[in-house]
Amino acid sequence: MRSSSPFHVLSTLELAAFVAFAASFVYLLIFFGVEFFRSLLLRPSSDLWADDCEDEKVVSVVAEGFLQKAPCGQALDGETPKLDFDPVKPAAPKAKPVETEKWDEQIDLSEEDEEVIASVVAGTTPSYSLESKLGDCRRAAAVRREALQRMTGKSLAGLPLEGFDYESILGQCCEMPVGYVQIPVGIAGPLELDGREYSVPMATTEGCLVASTNRGCKAIAMSGGANSILLRDGMTRAPVVRFGLAKRAAELKFYLESPANFEALSSVFNSSSRFARLQSIKGAIAGKNLYLRFSCSTGDAMGMNMVSKGVQNIMDFLQKDFPDMDVMGISSNFCSDKKPAAVNWIEGRGKSVVCEAVIKGDVVRKVLKTSVEALVELNMLKNLTGSAMAGALGGFNAHASNIVTAIYIATGQDPAQNVESSHCITMMEAVNDGKDLHVSVTMPSIEVGTVGGGTQLASQSACLNLLGVKGANREAPGSNSRLLATVVAGSVLAGELSDVSSRPASSSRAT
Ligand code: ADP
């Protein structure tokens, strides 16, 4: 037997022992080393994967069973890229999502949640009712999110769910939440304004914006700081009323604008809030329609709710003496909220602020890397003449809205009000025998508050706290929101200085 076997040096027993040893070696290899060997043997080809996502700005995405390439972070045809597939074998085409599929690692769902999700998907439970039905805002958001993903077949992975206080927005800030968007907050400053220093929070995804504003702050600080003056503080609301004849509309206009009636009207208006104080009423006639622009101070609140309540009080009061008056709308666009309008540019809305600084010639050269002469010339050509050529309305500036919007988002203002809040004329003039630069921004309608709306939320409130204007000012109501408006204007001043300095025309003439 020994001589007839090819393994004639081994006995049958020895042969069996060798085979057993080899088998257990292979088993151990598979058990511990499979990922390593698979990665060596089965490395995906460069057809499947971009070599370096950062360099190439592409990532391969397997979708619906075929390969495509899309920019980093961007889905194909609006689909969210799903990368949890076997990199070797393209995933089989996905069937339409089944109701029990879990889309999101963030969501921990109980059996009870699954039932609610099923009823939302089936349409028997309205999504908006989840907070009241479940009595738990975070759970309502999780359930709504999962139901939404199942109904749309789209993943929300990447939109955070956890780490947010959903109770704090209930009935105040956002309905039917499914998560929250993250926006980085950068700090520009210190901004030296009116003898104080401010670290200015800016929420933005625009690269260089914070850095540029920071450079402007530096130029201001090295020149002794900026100063601001609050010219006016009054929120407006304008209802439209209609009469049978223009004559009657005019009679009401004269009645409301008469100084003799102001006291009676203001006591009716002011009863809406301990902070609302009527300042003026202006009427504009269009045939038999009358547009009434009410203006009032609103303490530390931005004031839209407050002024609207005051206007409603006046409308009720007027019905007695003007029973033929039809109130067509409590807001007629003559206010004017969140739309570009000359009335805000000319009359102002919210806080009207002018802010100025004298930047030393030396600082213009060293920090802004340009010259006083070049800045004055470009400001005239761009912010004044260029904007006039474009038929601008309040847009006589380089990028006020960039700074306004970033501060508004960080501090919980209504970002849609950036429209009129960004109205700004930037002036630059050579002073001190042409050595230094006088720069100013005049902003007639900065609409900000430090109470109400988004200002109460944790992150936004932290940013207000950083500026020292969190919440209501108890000693002097209104002074927090007024201070915030001056900080907005001061930051815009810094942004304008830096932006105009960085234009090619001026930099080519630097020094
Ligand atoms: P808005 O009028 O800006 O929409 P809200 O009505 O949401 O503001 O919030 C203002 C609320 O805050 C009012 O109910 C008001 O009574 C209260 N409040 C407390 N302190 C102040 C203050 N210092 N200034 C203005 N409002 C204040």
Side-chain angles (χ1 to χ4, degrees):
M1 283 292 286
R2 207 171 233 234
S3 58
S4 65
S5 158
F7 302 101
H8 54 275
V9 289
L10 300 173
S11 69
T12 312
L13 204 61
E14 286 167 328
L15 192 63
F18 177 78
V19 170
F21 172 76
S24 50
F25 178 76
V26 169
Y27 173 78
L28 285 172
L29 202 64
I30 289 170
F31 191 79
F32 292 111
V34 67
E35 284 313 323
F36 173 70
F37 279 99
R38 267 178 57 134
S39 66
L40 276 185
L41 297 172
L42 307 176
R43 176 170 284 167
S45 78
S46 55
D47 292 336
L48 290 171
W49 294 98
D51 288 338
D52 186 330
C53 177
E54 280 308 304
D55 289 341
E56 302 285 329
K57 294 284 179 219
V58 290
V59 62
S60 298
V61 175
V62 177
E64 306 296 333
F66 57 90
L67 296 169
Q68 294 188 28
K69 284 190 171 186
C72 258
Q74 185 184 311
L76 297 163
D77 299 323
E79 291 283 335
T80 305
K82 285 180 165 292
L83 298 176
D84 54 340
F85 50 83
D86 185 328
V88 181
K89 268 194 295 175
K94 248 191 187 310
K96 217 174 164 18
V98 286
E99 284 185 10
T100 51
E101 183 183 349
K102 197 166 155 235
W103 281 83
D104 214 317
E105 289 314 310
Q106 296 183 64
I107 308 180
D108 215 1
L109 298 167
S110 65
E111 266 179 41
E112 205 188 317
D113 291 335
E114 285 291 351
E115 278 170 32
V116 187
I117 290 167
S119 77
V120 174
V121 171
T124 44
T125 297
S127 180
Y128 64 78
S129 70
L130 287 171
E131 276 76 7
S132 58
K133 182 181 166 75
L134 301 174
D136 175 342
C137 292
R138 185 257 160 216
R139 202 177 143 214
V143 164
R144 176 179 299 114
R145 178 185 176 105
E146 187 60 18
L148 180 70
Q149 292 178 113
R150 292 180 193 183
M151 288 188 290
T152 59
K154 302 276 195 294
S155 167
L156 283 174
L159 183 81
L161 170 72
E162 301 301 348
F164 191 80
D165 177 9
Y166 292 94
E167 311 288 333
S168 69
I169 56 169
L170 183 66
Q172 299 253 14
C173 296
C174 181
E175 298 75 39
M176 300 199 278
V178 293
Y180 59 98
V181 165
Q182 296 166 302
I183 305 178
V185 175
I187 298 294
L191 169 70
E192 251 187 65
L193 180 68
D194 300 321
R196 287 170 65 180
E197 288 190 349
Y198 300 93
S199 297
V200 183
M202 300 175 72
T204 182
T205 52
E206 183 178 338
C208 295
L209 178 59
V210 181
S212 174
T213 312
N214 201 46
R215 179 169 78 143
C217 289
K218 184 178 176 186
I220 291 171
M222 286 174 71
S223 302
N227 290 298
S228 69
I229 301 120
L230 188 115
L231 305 165
R232 182 185 174 280
D233 177 15
M235 182 41 71
T236 64
R237 184 51 104 197
V240 53
V241 298
R242 176 179 288 173
F243 289 88
L245 289 171
K247 180 174 172 285
R248 285 292 286 157
E251 278 170 12
L252 178 57
K253 172 179 159 67
F254 296 141
Y255 171 84
L256 290 173
E257 289 180 351
S258 164
N261 298 323
F262 186 79
E263 205 180 314
L265 289 167
S266 61
S267 73
V268 171
F269 186 99
N270 296 349
S271 64
S272 66
S273 161
R274 61 202 158 111
F275 299 100
R277 293 290 169 267
L278 185 65
Q279 295 171 333
S280 66
I281 310 170
K282 277 189 182 151
I285 294 243
K288 53 197 183 59
N289 304 302
L290 175 61
Y291 294 82
L292 293 162
R293 196 167 188 260
F294 289 81
S295 176
C296 75
S297 58
T298 56
D300 288 308
M302 179 274 289
M304 285 301 306
N305 286 333
M306 215 178 271
V307 65
S308 301
K309 284 180 203 157
V311 166
Q312 188 59 58
N313 285 356
I314 297 271
M315 293 296 105
D316 297 343
F317 173 77
L318 290 175
Q319 288 288 351
K320 286 175 216 135
D321 290 333
F322 294 86
D324 52 339
M325 174 184 84
D326 271 343
V327 181
M328 306 305 290
I330 203 82
S331 172
S332 67
N333 280 4
F334 188 50
C335 316
S336 181
D337 194 39
K338 303 177 184 174
K339 273 98 41 189
V343 73
N344 294 335
W345 176 233
I346 296 165
E347 298 279 333
R349 188 169 197 252
K351 278 84 171 147
S352 305
V353 180
V354 58
C355 185
E356 67 186 337
V358 175
I359 309 298
K360 292 178 183 142
D362 208 31
V363 175
V364 170
R365 280 186 296 280
K366 288 190 178 136
V367 177
L368 302 174
K369 311 270 192 274
T370 181
S371 66
V372 171
E373 186 197 5
L375 279 178
V376 170
E377 185 179 41
L378 186 61
N379 188 67
M380 186 272 291
L381 280 174
K382 173 188 165 62
N383 289 341
L384 306 182
T385 315
S387 295
M389 293 297 288
L393 174 56
F396 299 92
N397 59 79
H399 71 148
S401 70
N402 256 338
I403 288 92
V404 168
T405 309
I407 299 177
Y408 273 31
I409 295 173
T411 60
Q413 310 305 313
D414 187 336
Q417 288 183 322
N418 82 82
V419 175
E420 59 271 35
S421 296
S422 301
H423 283 345
C424 168
I425 184 163
T426 301
M427 307 287 288
M428 291 190 189
E429 215 181 295
V431 292
N432 302 335
D433 296 327
K435 286 203 305 286
D436 303 329
L437 176 80
H438 181 273
V439 55
S440 67
V441 292
T442 308
M443 304 179 68
S445 36
I446 301 177
E447 296 158 350
V448 288
T450 59
V451 295
T455 63
Q456 61 177 6
L457 302 177
S459 334
Q460 290 85 335
S461 161
C463 291
L464 288 169
N465 192 44
L466 179 70
L467 290 170
V469 295
K470 179 179 162 182
N473 189 308
R474 297 195 190 285
E475 288 83 50
S479 52
N480 277 1
S481 64
R482 287 195 283 269
L483 182 54
L484 179 58
T486 62
V487 169
V488 170
S491 308
V492 167
L493 187 81
E496 290 292 282
L497 255 182
S498 183
D499 189 90
V500 178
S501 302
S502 63
R503 300 284 151 183
S506 56
S507 56
S508 67
R509 290 163 191 219
T511 69

